[in-house]
Structures are given as structure tokens and as C-alpha cells.
Amino acid sequence: MATLLESSSSGVSHEVLDRIDALLDGFRERAQETEDLRKVHPKNIEELEEAGFFKLVQPKQWGGYEADMEVFYTAARNIASACPSTGWCASIVGIHNWHLALFPQQAQEDVWGEDPNVRISSSYAPMGAAKKTDKGLVLNGRWSWSSGCQHATWVFVGGPVLDENDKMIDFCTFLVAGDQYEIDDVWHVAGLKGTGSNDIVVSDALIPSHRVLSFGDMGKGTSPGLERNDNPIYKMPWGTVHPTTISTPIVGMAFGCYDVHREHQRDRVRAAFGTKVKDDPFAKVRLAEAAGDIDAAWLQLMRNVREEQALIEGGGTPDMDLRTRARRDQVRATQRSIDAIGLLFQNSGARALQDTSPIQRFWRDANAGRVHAANEATKAFISYGQNEFGEKVTDSMV
């Protein structure tokens, strides 16, 4: 009998997916050690690199695969089904190779020129700013929640560009070199413990213009990197790509939790009653409810990704109907997955509370991932409603 994860992966194939499948048992075995280290286990990163995961959406000019986005998200989902923290970091750090492809060619040269395996972490929330000066853009700030930063030597940070009068003239992503920032080890948390999502501190860093990318250019599809990197995947809307990168590992956690719960319940005997759980019809109902929500979460997420990419491949551009639907389904995928994990956790018995149980880890980590800004459902739903009523969509994350 196939697991829920296996049954949902039909039709998606890639050599990297096959190599990652062979690594999942090791990720499961090292999940607790990853938590204890408070960062992704170095062996996990090493194996993901050897498997080619970080190359999936990297441009071919730098040795990447330029794989379909569904392949990338499937890989990230599968990793998270084994180790949530590893899957979370893999998804986020992995998508940065897609993002760097939008930067000017010189920025890509700076990062990948000597070593195409270099990794980038991020913190896009505007927790700092760059000021225009005679020498160029001077960046200052403290950015929190840079997942996987210990395994990266560059970082993306987001924020406004200010003129000489402190007036905002643009909102950008800044590419910052490793010798221009410090990592402040502050990651002591209840969930996603192994992501090492520490603070990035930047003080008076001079950022060359070619290491700055306007969100406006990304929104208009005029990013300079598109001149060389012309694969349709690089024309996907940021408002779909980035939020889906956040939801995907949470859906992966739900797949992993379901499969562990199913095996756990098959042989479990309720101590208080002396009865087998699998003989309880309500246990079967709860299993079906959880599986239905998890399947729905993934199917909707990937439907939108496939439709957007197919539209771009045909020479079109995803319209606001499709983009707001993608955001609607993305936040729903997160919530459906967390609800399913909650249902499974509640019905796994007291032994699921033990540190050795992956069920409690999936529950903690999924709820921790829920607080990411990309999972703020209200804003996504308002954008969808605005578009449905013919109003202007005011959220830039679409």
C-alpha cells in the first residue's frame, strides 16, 4: 500500500526527486539532532547539495536544471515530510537561486562566478533601509528570521531605498555579501527549532547598484536577469513563488504526519480501554478527513503553479484572477495542513507527546510556520475579494 506522500507524487518525475527519496530515511533519523543543533544538520545540507536539490531552479548558465516549479516544490515537500526544519530551510534557501536569476548578470557573477554551489539566506521583511548617498546605497538594519543562514555566505534582505530627505523612492531586495553582515544567534523557540532562523545585522554596508533589485521591476516582469535567464520559470509572479515556498514545507509536514500517524494507529491499543484503535470506526473517519484536507491543499497549490507556468510558456501573463486565486489557495493550503495535523495529533494518544515522537514535532513545527507573514490569510482573502468585486488589489504580495 502506497503512503499518502507516494500516492500524491504521480506524474511528477526528475532525477533529483529520485535521489532525494533515497535520503529521506536519513533525514528522519537526524530530525531530533537537527533540533538539538538548532540548525539543519550539516550532513543534510551536504546530501541535498550532492543530490542536486539546490540546482533545481538555478539557471543553466550556472550549472542548474531550470526545472519546472512543480518539481522544485515537490522536492521541498518531500524533504519536509521527513524533517520539517530541513524542509523549511531547503525550500527557502533553494528558491533564492530562482530569485538571484532575476538580478543583473554582474550580481550573479559576484555570487556564483567562482563557486556555483554558493547558498543565500534571506529576510525580506523591511527591518532596515538603504539611504542614497554620494558613494551609493548605504544599508543599515537588523533583519530577523533568516532561516538556514548558517549554511549560506550571502543574504537577501528587503527594505526601502530612501533619498537624502529620508523619503522612500523604491522598495528593493538587497544582496549582501558575507563580510558585510553578522549573524546574531537568537533562535530559541518552540517550533522549527532546527531552522537556525537567526538575526542578520548590517551596519553601514555599501551596496553596489547591481546588487539591488526593485520589487517594482519584479512585479512588472522587467527584472534585468531576464535578459539572459529567459526560461519561463523566471517569469512566474513573485506573489505566487514566494508564498508557495512557505506553504509547501507545511503541507509536506502534513503528509509526513499522516503517514506516521497511520502506522502508529495500526498497532496502537488504548491503554484505558484495552481496545485496538484500528477497530474504532471514528478513527477511520478522522483519517479520511485529514487525508482529504492534505490532498486538497497540495492539489490546489500545484494547480495554480502549473496553470501560471503553462500560461507563461504559451506567451501569456498570469492575470489578477489567477494570481489572487493562487494566494487564496496558498493560505488555505497552510490552514488545511495545520488543521489536519491538529486532528491527527489529538487522536494519536499520550505517547505522541514524547520527544521521540515525530507527530509532536510535526504539530509544533507546522504551527510555527503558520506565523510567517506569507500565511496571513486575511490579507490574501481581501485581495481575492477585491478582485472579485472589480476593485483594485492593494496587496503587493500577489
Side-chain angles (χ1 to χ4, degrees):
M1 180 184 295
T3 67
L4 188 65
L5 188 72
E6 291 169 338
S7 64
S8 71
S9 297
S10 59
V12 183
S13 62
H14 195 279
E15 61 185 277
V16 172
L17 291 177
D18 295 336
R19 290 196 286 267
I20 285 173
D21 285 346
L23 301 176
L24 298 183
D25 284 344
F27 294 164
R28 292 186 188 99
E29 291 171 4
R30 292 187 288 272
Q32 183 59 54
E33 193 172 354
T34 288
E35 284 205 336
D36 295 342
L37 289 170
R38 296 174 44 249
K39 65 179 182 181
V40 176
H41 197 292
K43 187 171 180 61
N44 292 1
I45 296 293
E46 178 185 338
E47 290 182 345
L48 286 173
E49 184 174 311
E50 291 175 353
F53 170 78
F54 297 111
K55 299 271 187 191
L56 280 174
V57 290
Q58 188 169 6
K60 286 184 177 179
Q61 64 165 315
W62 302 111
Y65 290 101
E66 295 186 2
D68 288 350
M69 298 306 295
E70 186 175 6
V71 171
F72 172 79
Y73 290 125
T74 300
R77 180 201 67 177
N78 293 357
I79 297 164
S81 76
C83 176
S85 287
T86 300
W88 180 268
C89 288
S91 189
I92 291 172
V93 173
I95 206 63
H96 293 156
N97 287 354
W98 175 91
H99 194 183
L100 182 56
L102 305 181
F103 274 70
Q105 184 70 14
Q106 184 57 58
Q108 298 171 56
E109 292 273 2
D110 291 351
V111 177
W112 289 323
E114 294 185 5
D115 182 3
N117 296 316
V118 166
R119 290 180 293 274
I120 309 167
S121 68
S122 71
S123 180
Y124 292 110
M127 299 178 182
K131 189 160 185 176
K132 224 175 172 184
T133 70
D134 294 339
K135 296 180 180 179
L137 293 178
V138 177
L139 183 68
N140 284 279
R142 173 185 283 267
W143 285 264
S144 296
W145 314 306
S146 186
S147 300
C149 57
Q150 302 93 333
H151 303 289
T153 51
W154 291 76
V155 67
F156 286 134
V157 295
V161 176
L162 309 176
D163 66 13
E164 295 82 354
N165 300 313
D166 290 336
K167 179 181 178 182
M168 189 177 87
I169 55 177
D170 203 351
F171 191 86
C172 299
T173 300
F174 306 96
L175 173 62
V176 188
D179 59 1
Q180 293 181 301
Y181 66 88
E182 295 181 357
I183 297 173
D184 190 4
D185 187 352
V186 297
W187 193 243
H188 300 276
V189 290
L192 291 175
K193 291 183 176 183
T195 62
S197 303
N198 289 301
D199 286 5
I200 301 295
V201 183
V202 180
S203 301
D204 293 330
L206 185 62
I207 308 298
S209 60
H210 65 269
R211 295 185 192 167
V212 180
L213 181 62
S214 170
F215 275 90
D217 284 341
M218 285 199 296
K220 293 181 290 186
T222 57
S223 297
L226 294 173
E227 295 177 9
R228 183 80 175 266
N229 302 314
D230 56 1
N231 188 297
I233 66 171
Y234 300 118
K235 298 177 183 177
M236 290 281 288
W238 168 260
T240 298
V241 169
H242 176 60
T244 304
T245 296
I246 300 304
S247 287
T248 288
I250 297 175
V251 180
M253 295 173 210
F255 276 102
C257 187
Y258 177 90
D259 287 336
V260 170
H261 172 85
R262 185 181 69 171
E263 296 307 308
H264 173 68
Q265 296 290 67
R266 278 178 173 174
D267 301 319
R268 180 181 160 223
V269 175
R270 287 196 176 98
F273 308 107
T275 57
K276 293 182 177 181
V277 170
K278 69 178 183 179
D279 293 334
D280 179 2
F282 294 104
K284 299 179 176 71
V285 170
R286 290 188 286 267
L287 205 64
E289 289 177 346
D293 277 345
I294 297 166
D295 267 346
W298 187 246
L299 290 170
Q300 281 191 299
L301 264 185
M302 291 303 103
R303 174 192 67 169
N304 295 320
V305 168
R306 284 194 299 269
E307 287 190 19
E308 287 187 355
Q309 186 169 331
L311 187 63
I312 294 167
E313 289 172 349
T317 302
D319 61 15
M320 199 55 69
D321 288 348
L322 182 50
R323 289 162 66 169
T324 55
R325 190 185 79 187
R327 278 286 279 137
R328 177 202 72 186
D329 294 345
Q330 171 258 319
V331 294
R332 285 293 296 140
T334 293
Q335 194 58 55
R336 279 195 176 102
S337 298
I338 290 172
D339 289 345
I341 291 172
L343 181 63
L344 297 170
F345 178 63
Q346 292 166 25
N347 291 281
S348 291
R351 294 193 187 278
L353 292 169
Q354 295 176 334
D355 288 344
T356 54
S357 168
I359 294 174
Q360 54 81 27
R361 182 181 299 114
F362 285 124
W363 181 78
R364 285 187 293 107
D365 290 352
N367 279 280
R370 164 63 183 83
V371 304
H372 192 285
N375 289 322
E376 177 49 62
T378 302
K379 291 188 71 175
F381 290 156
I382 288 174
S383 293
Y384 181 81
Q386 286 174 330
N387 186 65
E388 288 294 289
F389 287 143
E391 300 171 354
K392 182 180 179 181
V393 176
T394 54
D395 187 4
S396 61
M397 187 61 75
V398 291

